[in-house]
Amino acid sequence: MAPSSTSPPTSPPHTSQNGENGENSQNALWTLQDVPGKGKGLVVTQDVTPGTCLLSEAPLITTEIITSFDMDSTEQQLLGALNKLPKADQERYRSLHNNFSDSDPTHPLSGIVRSNAYPLGVEEEVGGVFADIARINHSCRPNVVQYWNPLFEKMTIYAVRAIPKGTEITTSYIPGGVSQERKQILKDHFGFDCTCELCSLPEDKLRQSDERIARAEKLDEMIGNSKNIYYAPEEVMKNARSLLNIYEQEGIKDGRLSRLYFDLFQMCNMHGDLARARCFVKYHCDLKKLAEGKDSKNVYEVLLYVKSPQKHGSYEPDGKWKTAASDVPKGMKATEFANWLWRGNI
Ligand SMILES: C[S@@+](CC[C@H](N)C(=O)[O-])C[C@H]1O[C@@H](n2cnc3c(N)ncnc32)[C@H](O)[C@@H]1O
């Protein structure tokens, strides 16, 4: 369980936003509260189901304005950008947490960027500071996923697991890894010692989790290797099933899971198996919808392949696993279907 707080809320409850057009619903979904050992955090005020949009927010400031590596100039550029904002937004920015206020007291605005900015897209250099999203603490087993929606120029936060009332909303600031690596990155880049539910497990449980994650990384590497996909697809299928089991055990619901399904989609397509390709791309698409909303650019892009997997560049019509997209079996029991889907590797 993510930590929850019994402290009184420090702001009134906030409403959900549907992520499609930013309209507010009437539901108060979260409040800003003190969270023991982590400063402030966002805590849900009601049970939240997976796929709920908890926040959809435009940045107060983006780091596009930063053109210098010199800290004094960076601070000046941030000050210039901040002064252009309405007074209330300036105050919201200045009130955000700065983890570097002791080590670098002369650059407070830069310290706020370093402590709170999110990249605006995958492998994107430009970051953004968001007034509410900045209050979400990190967990190595998070319950939400953040996604920069370039179509609306907003960061969205969707629940990817059920979040019981009173539980803190947590996201991951990093891509994953075993506990020692995670701790090191969080310390080096964000300046804090992680106290999340995963890092706080008893030693033996943490060791077991680390072993699973290390094995998952090896499997992921094997599956991502194009030679294996081409020459050893049966082996890849078996390893993918094992990887899926680890993700289930570890509660991993982020991009690693949706990428696994996309890899399988491409592999089945490459071997002419349109029926399984269609199933795997559908699972990928469903996960993207859950984590990014149905108005995500990534969802629009893959919907075409759910309908017509052969339109993807990976399709090889004379592959050795040849099936038609309409060959997906109907009316099977779940175990029978899984046995078909995984080619017996269940
Ligand atoms: C982006 S801010 C999150 C909101 C912040 N707690 C606040 O009061 O505004 C990141 C900071 O929160 C704290 N924090 C976030 N996740 C944490 C975790 N898992 N363990 C310990 N501290 C955490 C650290 O001080 C970190 O530098």
Side-chain angles (χ1 to χ4, degrees), residues 38-60:
K38 296 186 194 165
K40 292 191 188 307
L42 304 187
V43 174
V44 295
T45 53
Q46 56 184 267
D47 291 344
V48 168
T49 52
T52 303
C53 181
L54 291 163
L55 291 102
S56 172
E57 191 179 18
L60 287 172

Side-chain angles (χ1 to χ4, degrees), residues 15-20 29-30 42 44 48-58 116 118-119 130-137 142-149 154-161 163 168-173 288-293 295:
T15 55
S16 68
Q17 295 182 316
N18 67 14
E20 274 174 277
L29 290 181
W30 53 264
L42 304 187
V44 295
V48 168
T49 52
T52 303
C53 181
L54 291 163
L55 291 102
S56 172
E57 191 179 18
N116 297 284
Y118 282 89
F130 302 81
D132 291 328
I133 291 172
R135 297 300 186 176
I136 301 177
N137 287 315
N143 50 27
V144 302
V145 161
Q146 72 270 11
Y147 166 67
W148 172 249
N149 190 326
K154 283 187 173 176
M155 187 74 90
T156 57
I157 301 288
Y158 277 79
V160 289
R161 62 177 83 249
I163 313 178
E168 200 196 344
I169 298 172
T170 53
T171 194
S172 180
Y173 299 172
K288 285 283 172 197
K289 264 189 215 161
L290 186 92
E292 301 174 2
D295 48 6

Side-chain angles (χ1 to χ4, degrees), residues 298-337:
N298 294 322
V299 171
Y300 292 139
E301 280 170 7
V302 293
L303 272 174
L304 169 70
Y305 308 128
V306 176
K307 204 167 163 228
S308 313
Q310 68 277 13
K311 292 203 170 150
H312 190 263
S314 56
Y315 179 52
E316 174 51 66
D318 296 320
K320 63 174 180 172
W321 285 352
K322 195 169 174 160
T323 61
S326 55
D327 286 344
V328 178
K330 292 187 184 82
M332 277 184 175
K333 286 195 181 122
T335 47
E336 220 184 328
F337 183 80

Side-chain angles (χ1 to χ4, degrees), residues 109 186 320:
L109 303 180
L186 289 167
K320 63 174 180 172

